[in-house]
């Protein structure tokens, strides 16, 4: 196995734990037999990027200028393909995607593809930030692929948002228990797969005790797509 020719640029820090988990999954899954066969990675982790959900809902600063500046900084540093392990950030990235001169592995598009692959029907529950839900970026992408997402109630959505806050504050066990309760409610309504359309949620799911094969992780979907791009498999 030869090492990839392209340098991967990762814009992280949204949030830091999700970025670290993405790097762990990527390092675990690449088809490398030694250090030199791993991809060259340039990481820019900027936890000071304004909150994406708050910006999308108009209750906080617009994160687009910071996200755009950082992506182009990665390109300036030598990145030849980009990945951003934050779903809500892609609502803003899509506003200037055509300006990006290198390939961008789009987490939403890749997660929808992964959801289609594991779902027995043509639908899945979408668990995401309130901002991502409001943006409709997932259902719009899914509709282009003849797929459909079910969405939690407002009360359930607030519980999911709290799970995300708990992961960001390092309270993983509580996050996992709370997520398990919400997902069991959803499965009582419709017993289909759950799509983790927020990169914090796979961390909570991993400690929830729920079946691993019933969820679609946006972190894993992004990692798989990066590996396919870099290694051609």
């Amino acid at each position: 196995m030869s090492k990839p020719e392209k340098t991967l640029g990762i814009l992280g820090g949204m949030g830091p734990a999700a970025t670290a988990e993405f790097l762990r999954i990527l390092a675990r899954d690449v088809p490398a037999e030694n250090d030199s066969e791993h991809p060259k990675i340039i990481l820019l982790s900027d936890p000071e990027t304004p909150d994406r959900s708050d910006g999308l809902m108009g209750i906080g600063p617009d994160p687009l200028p910071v996200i755009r500046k950082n992506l182009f900084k990665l390109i300036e540093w030598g990145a030849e393909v980009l990945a951003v392990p934050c779903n809500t950030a892609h609502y803003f990235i899509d506003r200037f995607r055509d300006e990006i001169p290198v390939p961008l592995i789009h987490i939403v598009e890749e997660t929808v593809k992964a959801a289609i692959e594991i779902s027995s029907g043509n639908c899945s529950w979408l668990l995401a930030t309130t901002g991502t839900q409001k943006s409709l970026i997932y259902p719009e992408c899914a509709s282009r692929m003849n797929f459909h997402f079910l969405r939690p109630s407002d009360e359930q959505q607030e519980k999911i948002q709290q799970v995300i806050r708990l992961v960001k504050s390092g309270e993983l066990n509580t996050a996992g228990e709370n997520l398990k309760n919400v997902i069991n409610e959803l499965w009582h309504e419709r017993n289909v797969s759950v799509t983790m359309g927020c990169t914090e949620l796979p961390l909570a799911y991993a400690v929830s005790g729920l079946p691993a094969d019933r969820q679609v992780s946006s972190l894993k979907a992004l990692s798989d797509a990066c590996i396919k791009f870099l290694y051609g498999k």
Side-chain angles (χ1 to χ4, degrees):
M1 172 63 63
S2 60
K3 70 173 297 178
E5 296 180 0
K6 301 287 187 182
T7 298
L8 175 62
I10 300 171
L11 177 55
M14 303 177 284
T19 301
E21 179 66 4
F22 173 69
L23 289 167
R24 186 191 72 81
I25 294 169
L26 188 68
R28 179 194 69 192
D29 292 348
V30 293
E33 296 180 359
N34 52 56
D35 290 352
S36 66
E37 292 178 356
H38 282 259
K40 182 177 180 181
I41 292 172
I42 302 172
L43 171 65
L44 197 171
S45 183
D46 187 358
E48 294 184 351
T49 304
D51 187 274
R52 282 65 59 201
S53 283
D54 287 353
L56 196 154
M57 295 187 291
I59 59 174
D62 182 3
L64 188 152
V66 175
I67 294 170
R68 187 182 188 282
K69 178 192 71 175
N70 285 338
L71 285 175
F72 278 86
K73 188 177 291 185
L74 281 167
I75 297 168
E76 181 183 326
W77 290 349
E80 297 166 287
V81 56
L82 300 170
V84 184
C86 172
N87 287 268
T88 316
H90 285 70
Y91 170 82
F92 300 97
I93 293 170
D94 284 350
R95 313 266 85 72
F96 61 90
R97 187 178 181 182
D98 291 344
E99 302 173 32
I100 301 173
V102 301
L104 169 82
I105 311 297
H106 198 287
I107 193 172
V108 175
E109 294 171 358
E110 299 304 331
T111 304
V112 173
K113 292 176 188 175
I116 292 171
E117 286 183 10
I118 80 152
S119 300
S120 55
N122 68 336
C123 67
S124 175
W125 285 106
L126 176 63
L127 279 61
T129 65
T130 302
T132 293
Q133 295 282 15
K134 182 178 179 180
S135 76
L136 301 179
I137 188 172
Y138 263 95
E140 288 174 358
C141 180
S143 68
R144 296 193 293 270
M145 302 183 195
N146 298 313
F147 193 70
H148 175 66
F149 281 112
L150 305 172
R151 299 170 71 186
S153 67
D154 289 346
E155 182 181 350
Q156 290 165 336
Q157 178 57 40
E158 179 50 41
K159 292 177 181 177
I160 292 165
Q161 191 66 41
Q162 180 60 24
V163 168
I164 295 166
R165 295 188 194 106
L166 287 167
V167 174
K168 287 180 179 292
S169 64
E171 300 177 65
L172 269 184
N173 289 334
T174 303
E177 187 61 34
N178 291 0
L179 182 63
K180 179 180 180 179
N181 293 336
V182 176
I183 290 176
N184 281 330
E185 287 181 20
L186 297 176
W187 281 344
H188 183 73
E189 296 176 41
R190 188 81 176 269
N191 193 11
V192 296
S193 66
V194 287
T195 296
M196 305 289 109
C198 169
T199 51
E200 270 76 35
L201 290 175
L203 283 83
Y205 195 98
V207 297
S208 69
L210 293 170
D213 61 352
R214 298 298 310 282
Q215 69 125 357
V216 180
S217 165
S218 54
L219 284 175
K220 180 73 162 58
L222 181 62
S223 174
D224 287 349
C226 288
I227 291 168
K228 183 176 180 180
F229 182 94
L230 291 167
Y231 291 88
K233 60 170 61 179

